[in-house]
Amino acid sequence: MIESTTRTLTDWSNADCRQKPRVEVPRYKMMLKNITPRLYQETILGTCVDKNCLVVLPTGMGKTVIALMLASQRLKCFPNSKVLFLAPTRPLVEQHLQTFSNHFDIEEEQLAVFTGFVKPEKRAQLWKQAKVIFSTPQGLENDIITNKIDLSEVSLVIFDEAHRATGDYAYTFIAKQYNKKARYPRMLALTASPGSELEKINDVCKNLYIEGVELRTDADPDVRPYIQETKVQWVQVELPPELEKIKQYLKACYNSKLNEIKKHGYADASRMLSKVDLLKLQGHLHSEIAKGDKSFEIMKSVSLIAEAMKTEHAVELIETQGVAPLHNYFERIYEEAKSSKVKAVQNLASDLNFKSAAILTRNLMQEGVEHPKLATLKSLVEKEVEANSKVKIIIFNQYRESAKKIEETLNTIPGAEARVFVGQAKKNGTGLTQKEQKQMLEEFKQCEFNCLVATSVAEEGIDIPCVDLVIFYEPIPSGIRTIQRRGRTGRQDSGRVIILMTRGTRDEGYKWSAHHKEKRMYRELDNLKTKFKGFDRRAEEKIEKYIAPEMELKVFADFREKASGVIKELIDMGISVNMQTLNVGDYLLSTRVGVEYKKVPDFVDSIIDGRLLDQIKSLKQNFERPMIIIEGQEDIYAMRKIAANAIRGMLATIMVSYGIPVIQTKTVKETASLMAVIAKREQDPDFREFNPHGSRKPMTTKELQEYIVSALPGIGPTLAKPLLERFGSVKNLVNASEEELKEIEKIGEKRAKEIQRLLTERYENENNSRH
């Protein structure tokens, strides 16, 4: 894919720069270095230059090279702009940074990485000096919400693993904001597998404003010369009688739960229920409970579904994984049953069939019996190591506990050294930090060990060249994940894939499920290519706005609302959202309107724990027109074990005793729309700047002093009092040293430094600071 030559971008110097502003272009010439683009990459680039494009290429076919070429073209057309490269994980971000560093002729300080480990202040500084920014979407989403970055400066956004751009994933919000704000918009979406459902593929295209699709498969003539042959071999094993016996006890347990559910009338007695059916039924019953139906039949059925789902998981473990993972699962269930008040766990632990399966599993564990896959895997790896001492093998497995057992087994083979590669979450002591992940991949590339036992974290986008063999410990039903796993080999040379499958189990079903999904994906993509109309920018501009364009509105929101969908909806409506620490309320819509925003469950919880009454008093004291918005479609009287009259009594207190209106909305969009209408009515066009601290000052000097001090970083009402008691006045507090502040209980070094920074840092107008 990468050859040792240098190619300038003269071929693309006359590419579409029709949007180019009439400014004198500085002597800033971009080049690709040490890379020769392939013909299909240049062909695809032609579409990407003219349109927002979804590029679907087999794994290892150089999607990033297309990103490199388009980034060069955009920066050449718009030399004062920036390029933004988004990837879902930090290892992928680091990988793309390294690719650009190796093949993009640009100074190192003009490449910047944004992840959750980079502080917002540092990101704002890096944004000013960088030309190409690599980021995870979540951190960038927060920067957009808090106005830390200016998307109008960006001439290209690259979305790696673009199939994620569905639902509430951050790609969707970023693309929407970029499309609104960019002066020279261009988007490039990259993926090897956008999904098997046409609806999902269309969602990705819609959410990323795709105007053209470039699809290549292994069979396309311009790609075929570069495709390395990958042989796929299926190795079948039989489930031994002793494991089959455990499975039968578990299936008997599972069926007994289903039969009870059917007796209660919530399932068709004439047919078997699949896992998908159970999940759908579970969702339906929970919605009925939320509406207030807490009949015995519903509550019992919900408990039975939970028991059935846990039993189904045990069946999957014995069929596809082995004795050790199942034994550990049983241990957790019985440990939880000792202390848990959850009926489903207690009932399951006492079920005769479930107990029988657990006892048999424990006996097999003591005898050292394991799933035949483990012995088969050991034999396969032994042969590979004997044949080639420098072989590199990746073994994919669904579960961390199985991965640990696989690692232990493979490390008994002479010449084999295995390590487990997992995600960051600490589960049973197997989590890896991102630094450890990066180091392990580098060591694997350098052949310091030869067997990488990986969970799903290694499936997506990780570039590990020259992997000789990929082994699936089990088939997976996802077409996308199957393609990604298989794509870890055959990148620079021919590769092999071996998939272990237990005959007569879900392994067989998963094999065909993934096969058909993959075939369907390519069929749908072919249809999409011929029928795809693309994003119509002119039609988008005609969509009616919630807010009149001439009316610039500002809303203040508490930092704790940062993850709320309301913030995103308000920003989508063109409202300026200023994030800061609010001592009272969650949203300020004007000088006199403060809003306490709660989801239905939180509203009920705040009654029980006593928070609500304090919040109501503060709202009333600080705002002329306070209000409470309760969001959700749940039945407010059915959320927790609290008398309905207690909730009614609190509502009556809020509205009658305090005179605060309570409004219920169903969705985030409805909440934001209501806030937008109120803000529009409230904010005088001649006086749009309003005080985020409310319109009413505290009644006494003491309250005003506490109010001022509570606004300092990390202080709030609770710590304001001891600070004032220690220093005697606001002036003395402001003049206090960092050492003196640290002496106060619960202040600490971090808060003291932040207070000192705030009090001493020079004030800069936000608009001026950008220039």
Side-chain angles (χ1 to χ4, degrees):
M1 183 178 72
I2 294 174
E3 299 167 24
S4 185
T5 59
T6 300
R7 177 187 179 98
T8 64
L9 287 183
T10 51
D11 292 347
W12 302 294
S13 60
N14 295 319
D16 182 17
C17 291
R18 285 170 291 182
Q19 302 174 54
K20 187 173 179 179
R22 294 181 179 179
V23 295
E24 185 179 344
V25 180
R27 294 180 180 177
Y28 183 79
K29 186 175 182 182
M30 302 298 294
M31 296 174 66
L32 296 185
K33 60 182 183 181
N34 305 323
I35 189 167
T36 301
R38 296 166 177 172
L39 178 60
Y40 66 85
Q41 292 167 335
E42 298 191 85
T43 305
I44 291 170
L45 177 66
T47 304
C48 299
V49 163
D50 292 328
K51 300 175 180 179
N52 292 342
C53 190
L54 172 66
V55 176
V56 183
L57 272 177
T59 300
M61 286 294 101
K63 293 183 287 292
T64 310
V65 174
I66 297 167
L68 279 163
M69 293 191 291
L70 186 58
S72 293
Q73 187 269 338
R74 297 301 285 178
L75 288 175
K76 201 166 188 181
C77 282
F78 311 105
N80 297 319
S81 69
K82 300 178 187 295
V83 169
L84 190 53
F85 201 133
L86 300 176
T89 64
R90 191 183 176 196
L92 268 175
V93 167
E94 298 279 357
Q95 182 174 295
H96 292 313
L97 169 68
Q98 192 60 49
T99 301
F100 268 68
S101 181
N102 292 340
H103 302 295
F104 213 58
D105 193 8
I106 188 172
E107 293 178 12
E108 203 69 31
E109 59 267 21
Q110 291 186 312
L111 301 175
V113 170
F114 284 17
T115 65
F117 292 91
V118 183
K119 292 183 178 180
E121 297 80 10
K122 179 68 173 175
R123 288 204 297 269
Q125 180 187 339
L126 289 172
W127 180 270
K128 291 178 181 178
Q129 68 187 43
K131 298 295 292 183
V132 185
I133 297 99
F134 305 86
S135 179
T136 50
Q138 295 81 6
L140 195 81
E141 183 180 57
N142 290 333
D143 288 333
I144 294 169
I145 288 171
T146 54
N147 293 312
K148 291 282 195 312
I149 62 172
D150 184 2
L151 288 177
S152 70
E153 301 173 351
V154 178
S155 62
L156 172 65
V157 179
I158 302 159
F159 297 91
D160 191 26
E161 307 297 346
H163 54 269
R164 289 180 175 240
T166 58
D168 292 330
Y169 192 67
Y171 277 179
T172 304
F173 176 73
I174 292 169
K176 194 169 189 178
Q177 293 306 304
Y178 176 64
N179 184 61
K180 281 184 177 183
K181 297 176 181 178
R183 284 176 285 178
Y184 327 114
R186 180 64 71 241
M187 297 186 224
L188 174 63
L190 306 173
T191 182
S193 43
S196 57
E197 303 294 334
L198 181 59
E199 185 179 355
K200 182 181 177 183
I201 298 169
N202 275 322
D203 277 348
V204 170
C205 292
K206 180 183 175 184
N207 292 338
L208 299 182
Y209 300 87
I210 297 302
E211 299 163 310
V213 175
E214 282 285 353
L215 164 69
R216 298 290 189 280
T217 66
D218 296 358
D220 284 307
D222 57 349
V223 171
R224 196 182 304 134
Y226 304 99
I227 294 292
Q228 302 295 337
E229 183 185 7
T230 299
K231 294 180 180 178
V232 179
Q233 177 187 356
W234 291 83
V235 175
Q236 297 190 16
V237 300
E238 297 286 347
L239 196 67
E242 53 266 50
L243 270 63
E244 184 66 42
K245 189 174 183 180
I246 293 170
K247 176 183 170 181
Q248 292 310 315
Y249 274 115
L250 289 171
K251 292 298 286 184
C253 175
Y254 178 76
N255 290 332
S256 70
K257 308 304 175 188
L258 296 192
N259 290 333
E260 281 193 71
I261 294 169
K262 291 173 183 178
K263 285 178 185 176
H264 291 305
Y266 289 104
D268 186 349
S270 64
R271 59 184 287 266
M272 283 296 294
L273 294 178
S274 67
K275 186 176 180 180
V276 173
D277 293 329
L278 282 177
L279 287 169
K280 288 180 179 176
L281 179 57
Q282 186 180 53
H284 169 69
L285 294 181
H286 277 301
S287 69
E288 291 300 308
I289 292 171
K291 293 174 186 175
D293 187 349
K294 291 188 175 182
S295 63
F296 170 79
E297 290 79 11
I298 279 191
M299 300 303 288
K300 182 63 177 175
S301 295
V302 167
S303 181
L304 287 165
I305 289 171
E307 293 174 50
M309 297 287 285
K310 290 178 183 296
T311 307
E312 169 69 10
H313 180 63
V315 175
E316 181 172 2
L317 290 177
I318 196 63
E319 284 187 342
T320 70
Q321 301 302 309
V323 174
L326 180 61
H327 174 69
N328 291 336
Y329 180 63
F330 280 135
E331 291 285 298
R332 289 198 300 273
I333 291 285
Y334 281 101
E335 192 62 35
E336 188 180 345
K338 292 177 183 177
S339 56
S340 174
K341 295 181 181 179
V342 178
K343 291 287 185 184
V345 176
Q346 294 176 347
N347 292 340
L348 191 60
S350 60
D351 183 279
L352 184 59
N353 285 311
F354 196 81
K355 286 169 73 174
S356 299
I359 291 168
L360 288 175
T361 302
R362 185 183 63 204
N363 292 342
L364 291 181
M365 185 74 177
Q366 291 170 348
E367 294 168 16
V369 176
E370 260 306 339
H371 199 290
K373 279 185 182 179
L374 201 59
T376 303
L377 175 66
K378 183 179 179 181
S379 175
L380 288 168
V381 173
E382 275 179 335
K383 290 177 183 176
E384 294 296 325
V385 173
E386 286 173 8
N388 178 10
S389 60
K390 295 182 179 180
V391 70
K392 274 202 275 193
I393 305 171
I394 298 179
I395 299 99
F396 280 110
N397 179 265
Q398 287 270 67
Y399 300 100
R400 292 189 181 195
E401 287 181 348
S402 296
K404 289 296 291 181
K405 185 68 179 176
I406 290 168
E407 179 193 34
E408 291 170 11
T409 302
L410 296 185
N411 281 333
T412 63
I413 301 172
E417 183 180 346
R419 296 186 196 172
V420 173
F421 184 79
V422 295
Q424 293 184 78
K426 295 289 181 182
K427 293 179 182 176
N428 302 318
T430 56
L432 295 175
T433 66
Q434 289 184 331
K435 184 177 180 182
E436 289 170 334
Q437 288 176 349
K438 185 178 178 182
Q439 181 180 344
M440 187 178 291
L441 288 177
E442 191 58 38
E443 290 172 356
F444 185 59
K445 289 177 185 177
Q446 300 301 323
C447 299
E448 293 184 28
F449 64 100
N450 53 9
C451 296
L452 188 75
V453 184
T455 55
S456 59
V457 70
E459 291 173 354
E460 194 170 60
I462 300 296
D463 183 21
I464 307 171
C466 304
V467 173
D468 302 288
L469 173 64
V470 168
I471 300 175
F472 291 27
Y473 196 72
E474 69 285 291
I476 44 177
S478 165
I480 290 176
R481 291 180 59 199
T482 298
I483 291 168
Q484 289 173 331
R485 280 188 176 190
R486 196 172 60 226
R488 297 312 105 200
T489 187
R491 295 169 80 88
Q492 295 183 10
D493 206 343
S494 59
R496 289 183 299 136
V497 173
I498 296 176
I499 305 174
L500 303 181
M501 182 174 70
T502 312
R503 190 179 285 114
T505 68
R506 72 194 60 217
D507 275 354
E508 289 186 339
Y510 286 173
K511 168 189 175 179
W512 293 111
S513 175
H515 172 77
H516 291 308
K517 284 178 180 176
E518 186 176 344
K519 294 293 183 187
R520 187 163 67 242
M521 180 186 78
Y522 288 120
R523 281 199 309 272
E524 299 291 13
L525 282 167
D526 279 332
N527 290 335
L528 194 69
K529 277 183 72 176
T530 55
K531 300 175 184 177
F532 185 67
K533 294 180 180 178
F535 164 65
D536 186 341
R537 193 170 297 279
R538 286 173 296 180
E540 179 76 8
E541 289 168 356
K542 292 178 183 177
I543 294 174
E544 185 178 351
K545 305 292 183 184
Y546 283 98
I547 309 300
E550 69 275 5
M551 183 73 172
E552 184 183 340
L553 300 177
K554 178 182 286 187
V555 168
F556 287 87
D558 189 88
F559 269 119
R560 289 165 293 186
E561 295 297 312
K562 191 165 55 175
S564 164
V566 175
I567 299 283
K568 295 179 187 177
E569 289 291 337
L570 288 170
I571 292 172
D572 282 346
M573 292 175 187
I575 296 173
S576 173
V577 179
N578 191 320
M579 306 291 296
Q580 59 178 259
T581 302
L582 301 180
N583 293 317
V584 181
D586 297 313
Y587 294 89
L588 307 188
L589 309 183
S590 72
T591 303
R592 63 181 194 152
V593 178
V595 178
E596 186 68 35
Y597 164 71
K598 292 187 180 297
K599 298 286 185 76
V600 170
D602 183 46
F603 179 78
V604 177
D605 288 343
S606 65
I607 295 174
I608 295 169
D609 63 28
R611 282 181 291 129
L612 186 57
L613 209 52
D614 290 336
Q615 290 166 339
I616 294 165
K617 290 175 183 177
S618 296
L619 276 176
K620 186 67 177 176
Q621 182 184 20
N622 285 277
F623 299 103
E624 286 181 40
R625 294 288 187 270
M627 61 184 296
I628 293 175
I629 295 178
I630 305 173
E631 180 188 289
Q633 301 187 47
E634 304 96 331
D635 183 348
I636 200 168
Y637 303 108
M639 294 310 299
R640 286 186 61 177
K641 292 179 180 179
I642 177 174
N645 276 341
I647 297 173
R648 294 187 187 104
M650 178 56 76
L651 289 170
T653 299
I654 296 168
M655 292 185 284
V656 178
S657 301
Y658 287 90
I660 299 176
V662 178
I663 301 172
Q664 185 157 13
T665 58
K666 292 180 180 179
T667 64
V668 163
K669 187 177 283 291
E670 188 180 337
T671 301
S673 298
L674 174 63
M675 288 187 186
V677 170
I678 295 170
K680 186 177 179 183
R681 287 175 60 91
E682 280 290 302
Q683 294 179 33
D684 184 351
D686 297 323
F687 187 67
R688 292 178 197 143
E689 291 290 338
F690 66 86
N691 178 7
H693 297 296
S695 63
R696 292 190 179 181
K697 294 181 180 179
M699 299 299 293
T700 66
T701 299
K702 175 179 176 292
E703 289 172 334
L704 183 54
Q705 289 170 326
E706 291 173 1
Y707 188 69
I708 292 168
V709 174
S710 68
L712 292 171
I715 300 304
T718 306
L719 293 177
K721 290 179 182 179
L723 277 170
L724 284 165
E725 286 170 0
R726 165 66 176 80
F727 294 104
S729 70
V730 175
K731 182 178 180 181
N732 290 343
L733 171 59
V734 169
N735 292 330
S737 68
E738 185 180 318
E739 292 301 318
E740 289 175 312
L741 288 170
K742 281 196 296 187
E743 291 175 4
I744 307 300
E745 188 179 358
K746 295 184 180 179
I747 295 297
E749 184 176 354
K750 188 175 179 181
R751 279 198 183 105
K753 280 186 176 177
E754 187 59 19
I755 290 170
Q756 282 288 301
R757 185 195 66 76
L758 180 69
L759 294 174
T760 57
E761 194 166 290
R762 180 181 174 81
Y763 172 75
E764 287 188 16
N765 180 283
E766 184 178 330
N767 294 326
N768 291 339
S769 65
R770 282 187 182 174
H771 305 294

